[in-house]
Amino acid sequence: MQNENNNPFPHKDTEPTAKRVEDSIKKKFHKSLFSRFSKAIVEYELIQPGDKIAVCVSGGKDSFAMAKLFQELKRHNKIPFDLVFLVMDPGYNKENRETIEKNANLLEIPITVFETDIFESVFNIEKSPCYLCARMRRGHLYHRAKDLGCNKIALGHHYDDVIETILMGMLYGGQMQTMMPKLRSANFEGMELIRPMYLIREETIKAWRDYNGLKFIQCACKFTKNCATYGPSGSKRMKMKELIRTLEREDKGIEQNIFRSVENVSLKTVIAYKDKEGVRHRFTDDY
């Protein structure tokens, strides 16, 4: 288990951690965190009256920030909806499990924990174990959330995840696609996935974490020591992070343009595309 690096407490404060964290969301990080969180929910219509949302807490900075933002939204929002803070234990070691539970208690997040054996199931898989693990985790989350009466699960993917995914699809997958702000489940009827952190920058989440002196787990799986992310060349996603940082340093606005590229697609200027049913169309079809 690796803890994300954090600076010491930037200030001495005698009030409870949860209260301080909530105040930081309402004040210092209101514009960069809460306003962007609310904007994504409104712009992409992520929440409807009567929803019961399983907020999936993996133990990292993104999911814990999302949980606190949901609590703040629930406290002030006029739309009636319910929340369950769902933690899936895929086979964490004792230290990881204790860190997640400690942070949930510290931040006053009433988590519901359930256990699976996903790590054991994928440990000996040589080809794309991370991809398989992610699919299995998603399936277990949908299943447990539905059992709890939820109709949606919320994941903590942020703006940087979105633009990295766009580039990864182009450079490594040979396709133009993005990480959608919401998706209907193909395997669990009536269930939907939402990403309310869609417009929030990762650097803002890190700043919020460090300002409050919080420590979260980063990579908790059994592949951590051999994970490409920590290897000499880094993972594909890490390469995308560095590429985007380099481009942004040279030309401001690159990040925003990558994000907007999937909002401004002109079907008249692409060679081919697939429609909602997966049917492929070429420009020569009606040339």
Side-chain angles (χ1 to χ4, degrees):
M1 188 273 288
Q2 293 192 9
N3 281 334
E4 297 195 18
N5 295 326
N6 293 277
N7 296 328
F9 280 92
H11 48 71
K12 293 182 178 181
D13 203 329
T14 58
E15 68 180 349
T17 299
K19 178 64 165 56
R20 184 177 64 250
V21 167
E22 289 160 7
D23 285 344
S24 72
I25 289 175
K26 287 184 280 189
K27 298 175 183 178
K28 183 175 178 64
F29 295 96
H30 185 273
K31 183 177 181 180
S32 57
L33 273 181
F34 189 73
S35 291
R36 287 176 176 265
F37 183 77
S38 300
K39 181 179 179 181
I41 288 172
V42 172
E43 186 167 332
Y44 302 118
E45 301 177 355
L46 302 184
I47 298 179
Q48 301 298 327
D51 280 346
K52 186 173 183 180
I53 304 166
V55 181
C56 301
V57 180
S58 64
K61 67 183 189 309
D62 305 328
S63 62
F64 266 113
M66 177 176 65
K68 293 308 295 181
L69 287 165
F70 261 116
Q71 285 184 324
E72 186 64 21
L73 185 70
K74 176 71 173 174
R75 193 174 291 120
H76 300 288
N77 201 58
K78 296 180 180 179
I79 300 176
F81 66 92
D82 292 317
L83 298 171
V84 173
F85 298 97
L86 193 58
V87 174
M88 180 187 64
D89 183 343
Y92 292 136
N93 61 35
K94 182 180 178 181
E95 186 179 1
N96 285 325
R97 176 70 173 262
E98 289 179 349
T99 298
I100 293 172
E101 292 175 340
K102 178 182 177 181
N103 280 326
N105 183 60
L106 193 67
L107 296 172
E108 298 181 4
I109 300 171
I111 58 174
T112 296
V113 184
F114 72 102
E115 300 175 353
T116 69
D117 60 354
I118 293 177
F119 283 172
E120 289 297 330
S121 299
V122 302
F123 187 67
N124 294 316
I125 303 296
E126 295 183 3
K127 186 176 181 180
S128 304
C130 295
Y131 173 76
L132 177 60
C133 181
R135 286 186 62 86
M136 291 179 69
R137 288 163 71 108
R138 185 86 51 89
H140 278 286
L141 287 168
Y142 269 129
H143 190 276
R144 184 57 176 160
K146 191 167 186 177
D147 284 347
L148 292 171
C150 299
N151 65 311
K152 292 179 179 178
I153 65 171
L155 301 184
H157 296 117
H158 48 65
Y159 186 97
D160 296 73
D161 290 324
V162 177
I163 59 177
E164 290 158 16
T165 298
I166 294 171
L167 277 191
M168 285 177 66
M170 294 173 64
L171 300 182
Y172 295 106
Q175 56 189 342
M176 187 66 179
Q177 63 177 14
T178 189
M179 180 181 286
M180 298 297 286
K182 63 180 180 181
L183 288 169
R184 290 192 178 92
S185 173
N187 300 314
F188 294 86
E189 187 177 355
M191 295 294 293
E192 191 174 4
L193 178 156
I194 61 174
R195 295 184 170 104
M197 306 279 279
Y198 206 78
L199 301 178
I200 296 176
R201 299 307 308 264
E202 184 176 24
E203 62 184 17
T204 301
I205 302 171
K206 289 180 178 179
W208 167 81
R209 174 200 65 193
D210 295 343
Y211 177 81
N212 288 291
L214 301 171
K215 295 182 179 180
F216 302 114
I217 64 173
Q218 182 176 18
C219 185
C221 75
K222 294 186 177 182
F223 294 98
T224 299
K225 292 183 180 179
N226 302 315
C227 182
T229 301
Y230 303 98
S233 61
S235 68
K236 290 182 174 63
R237 187 165 290 277
M238 291 300 289
K239 288 180 180 178
M240 291 301 98
K241 285 181 181 291
E242 184 54 39
L243 174 60
I244 292 170
R245 278 196 294 263
T246 300
L247 293 171
E248 183 67 19
R249 282 196 298 266
E250 295 175 355
D251 294 286
K252 292 294 182 182
I254 290 290
E255 294 170 323
Q256 188 177 57
N257 287 338
I258 295 173
F259 186 88
R260 287 178 173 175
S261 68
V262 291
E263 295 182 337
N264 297 310
V265 177
S266 172
L267 296 183
K268 292 182 179 181
T269 59
V270 295
I271 301 298
Y273 70 93
K274 291 182 180 179
D275 61 23
K276 291 182 178 180
E277 283 68 44
V279 178
R280 185 178 177 85
H281 302 272
R282 290 183 58 85
F283 84 102
T284 51
D285 293 345
D286 57 358
Y287 181 74

